Amino acid sequence: MDRVDQQRTIAATWRPTFYTFAAVFLSILVVGFAAVPWILGFAQRVYLDLASDVNQRQARSMTAFLESRLQAGLSEDEAILEFQAATAGSDVDRGYVCLIERGSSRYLSHPNLDKLGMDVKPGAIFSPAGGQEAQGPWSTFIERGESADGLLTFGPQMSEEKVYFTSVPGTGWTVSTHKNLDRVYAELGRLRRSLIGGAVLLSLLFALPASVAARGVSRRREAQIQHQAELERRLLEEEDARKSLELDQARELQLSLVPRELPRRPEVRMAARMETATEVGGDYYDVIEREDGSLLFALGDATGHGLKAGMMVVAAKSLFAYSANTDDLVDVAARMAKALRTMRLGRLHMAFALAHLTGRRLEVVGAGMPPALIHRHVTGSVEELALSGAPLGSPMDFPYSLARVDLEAGDTLLLMSDGLPELQGAEGEVLGYEGVEGFFSDAVEPDASPEDIVAALSRRVSTWSGRELEDDVTYLVLRVS
């Protein structure tokens, strides 16, 4: 065979391989490029949804903060100063919270002190989320005193902002939270470049094996592939078993952190129950008998699920036990919040309620928990005790407030995690606070013990929901004799 024939033979051998490589590479590349806009659109929606969620949480927290300060007797000017102090030092380029006077559309509070007294975002156009209402000047929407979520645009060469604003009840103010979208669009740009590079790399990764396969795959190779699939299946089974074991251990840890038995006193009786969801959550309750005869008890709810939430519960229990002999509950909450914040657990926070019962005087401090409910024996009515305040470990330093109430013989107290009011029924309807009050009122019989009340609540919850729990449900009942 001469040199020309050798070259023709080589070309005939590699031509099918080259064609297979080119076909597979171009096909996957075209599909990858077609998928990039969809992925970017999805990512943008996720980023905006996250920004909206953070904005709404911040706005509601600051609204609750202003309401609590005004209810505590502060003047409007003093409340504005405390609001300004709470938001001072914010990274305005990233996002910020401000307070606006609706009638004049002026800034009452803003991290940028130069903005105080100025009109809000002159020329800003607000586009409500969902497109159910036409866009218009932002000041027009603010003057309505409504809550709204959407985008703010300011014209060419200016950053868009994701904004949520809501009015403060009983005032002429609006709390507005903002997130700068320049960072979102920059992140989307980086994601686009990564997706394009990934599409090219993925095309190569698929095209090279495919071109080799075009020359023929032997039975030995097929056997190897089957063996590899069996090995991966076994590895997945082992991994599933390991994760199941970890979840069981984490659930045991969660249950071990709550008291096995609650104190028994002739003048006050207590009962509690924690019903965990299918995945390990972060609910927790605890009771400490102090040397002076008073009772210190707590109920908490860590954000998220799994082992990280369990870590937050362990930390909160340790801090609670360490502060058992401190009389100032506000100071205890502040110190626990600071300690958890310094642990740098990311977005993990701990909603928490601290209560101290001395005789029949009850003192309560709340940190992002649902309101406590008190069933009055004499009238049969249910009173709501608001537990405002940011969850422990939140990035901002919120002042906590103390609520005091006197209990009478036969009165019953209910502390609960948000898994109870947020419980969903068979049709997806939410129980809500009114539903909880109804369940609680029905469960409090004249001669019912706290254990009876807890059992009745559990039965009502199970019957009403008719589905697996999506979040832990915990309630602690205390009844004065």
Side-chain angles (χ1 to χ4, degrees):
M1 184 180 295
D2 58 19
R3 187 170 184 176
V4 175
D5 291 337
Q6 289 179 348
Q7 291 176 345
R8 289 177 179 175
T9 301
I10 293 173
T13 303
W14 285 99
R15 189 177 293 115
T17 303
F18 173 78
Y19 288 159
T20 302
F21 174 85
V24 174
F25 178 84
L26 292 176
S27 298
I28 296 177
L29 194 63
V30 169
V31 172
F33 272 76
V36 167
W38 183 87
I39 296 174
L40 289 175
F42 176 80
Q44 181 171 340
R45 291 193 297 273
V46 171
Y47 281 138
L48 293 179
D49 288 344
L50 288 174
S52 176
D53 182 65
V54 172
N55 277 346
Q56 293 185 36
R57 289 177 181 270
Q58 288 181 334
R60 290 166 183 166
S61 295
M62 295 307 293
T63 300
F65 166 67
L66 286 173
E67 288 186 276
S68 67
R69 303 311 292 153
L70 292 173
Q71 291 172 3
L74 268 67
S75 67
E76 291 189 347
D77 290 338
E78 290 172 334
I80 292 172
L81 289 176
E82 288 199 6
F83 186 100
Q84 182 68 33
T87 58
S90 302
D91 184 357
V92 178
D93 290 336
R94 183 181 294 272
Y96 59 94
V97 184
C98 60
L99 184 63
I100 301 169
E101 185 179 62
R102 288 198 300 275
S104 59
S105 296
R106 292 184 304 108
Y107 288 114
L108 298 176
S109 174
H110 196 286
N112 183 354
L113 299 180
D114 295 335
K115 297 284 188 179
L116 298 183
M118 295 178 60
D119 292 341
V120 298
K121 304 287 186 184
I125 299 300
F126 176 71
S127 302
Q132 297 178 354
E133 186 176 356
Q135 64 182 17
W138 187 34
S139 57
T140 301
F141 286 85
I142 293 175
E143 290 170 1
R144 297 179 184 177
E146 301 173 347
S147 299
D149 173 55
L151 293 176
L152 275 183
T153 54
F154 312 102
Q157 299 180 346
M158 294 186 69
S159 302
E160 283 188 323
E161 291 181 353
K162 184 68 174 176
V163 62
Y164 176 83
F165 50 91
T166 184
S167 61
V168 181
T171 70
W173 304 338
T174 288
V175 172
S176 181
T177 53
H178 301 250
K179 290 292 179 293
N180 193 321
L181 296 183
D182 276 351
R183 297 176 183 270
V184 173
Y185 296 142
E187 187 66 25
L188 290 173
R190 288 191 289 270
L191 177 59
R192 181 178 184 277
R193 292 190 293 271
S194 298
L195 289 174
I196 292 175
V200 174
L201 179 60
L202 190 64
S203 300
L204 288 172
L205 291 176
F206 275 85
L208 287 173
S211 62
V212 174
R215 302 175 67 185
V217 180
S218 64
R219 292 182 179 179
R220 181 179 179 182
R221 179 58 179 168
E222 292 177 357
Q224 290 176 345
I225 293 175
Q226 293 176 357
H227 176 73
Q228 182 67 23
E230 178 65 19
L231 179 61
E232 290 179 355
R233 184 187 64 79
R234 292 180 181 178
L235 290 175
L236 287 174
E237 290 179 352
E238 292 177 359
E239 180 67 12
D240 289 341
R242 183 186 65 80
K243 289 182 177 179
S244 297
L245 178 61
E246 286 184 355
L247 286 175
D248 290 340
Q249 292 173 341
R251 187 174 290 109
E252 291 177 3
L253 171 63
Q254 181 187 11
L255 296 176
S256 70
L257 294 174
V258 300
R260 291 183 179 274
E261 293 185 359
L262 297 179
R264 295 181 179 274
R265 300 281 191 84
E267 72 277 9
V268 61
R269 293 171 296 168
M270 304 178 67
R273 176 171 294 184
M274 181 170 65
E275 299 179 1
T276 58
T278 54
E279 187 176 1
V280 177
D283 276 14
Y284 153 76
Y285 67 89
D286 210 345
V287 181
I288 295 177
E289 292 186 273
R290 297 182 53 171
E291 294 179 359
D292 60 2
S294 62
L295 292 175
L296 186 68
F297 47 99
L299 191 147
D301 181 6
T303 57
H305 297 275
L307 293 176
K308 289 186 177 180
M311 291 170 55
M312 176 65 79
V313 172
V314 171
K317 179 178 178 66
S318 301
L319 293 169
F320 173 66
Y322 178 76
S323 305
N325 293 320
T326 304
D327 292 327
D328 189 345
L329 295 188
V330 173
D331 182 60
V332 172
R335 285 191 294 169
M336 290 181 68
K338 182 177 180 181
L340 293 177
R341 188 162 54 245
T342 57
M343 290 174 66
R344 299 181 180 178
L345 295 176
R347 295 185 178 181
L348 285 179
H349 304 128
M350 186 75 170
F352 210 71
L354 278 166
H356 184 207
L357 182 67
T358 306
R360 292 181 179 175
R361 168 60 63 91
L362 178 70
E363 296 181 339
V364 187
V365 171
M369 287 294 288
L373 300 181
I374 301 174
H375 183 278
R376 295 295 188 180
H377 175 68
V378 174
T379 62
S381 61
V382 176
E383 297 178 5
E384 187 176 284
L385 188 62
L387 303 180
S388 59
L392 303 182
S394 297
M396 300 182 68
D397 188 12
F398 287 89
Y400 295 100
S401 58
L402 182 71
R404 293 187 179 91
V405 64
D406 290 323
L407 302 177
E408 303 295 337
D411 288 351
T412 306
L413 170 72
L414 171 65
L415 290 178
M416 57 186 162
S417 64
D418 62 7
L420 185 56
E422 293 177 2
L423 187 70
Q424 291 189 355
E427 302 298 326
E429 67 277 20
V430 178
L431 178 59
Y433 292 114
E434 291 185 1
V436 173
E437 289 186 14
F439 283 7
F440 181 45
S441 181
D442 293 341
V444 180
E445 298 289 341
D447 298 325
S449 67
E451 291 80 4
D452 296 333
I453 296 172
V454 166
L457 280 173
S458 181
R459 288 194 299 270
R460 291 297 302 274
V461 166
S462 177
T463 302
W464 183 85
S465 176
R467 57 193 295 180
E468 289 187 350
L469 296 177
E470 297 180 0
D471 192 9
D472 293 350
V473 174
T474 302
Y475 19 79
L476 187 150
V477 173
L478 179 149
R479 194 162 199 181
V480 178
S481 299

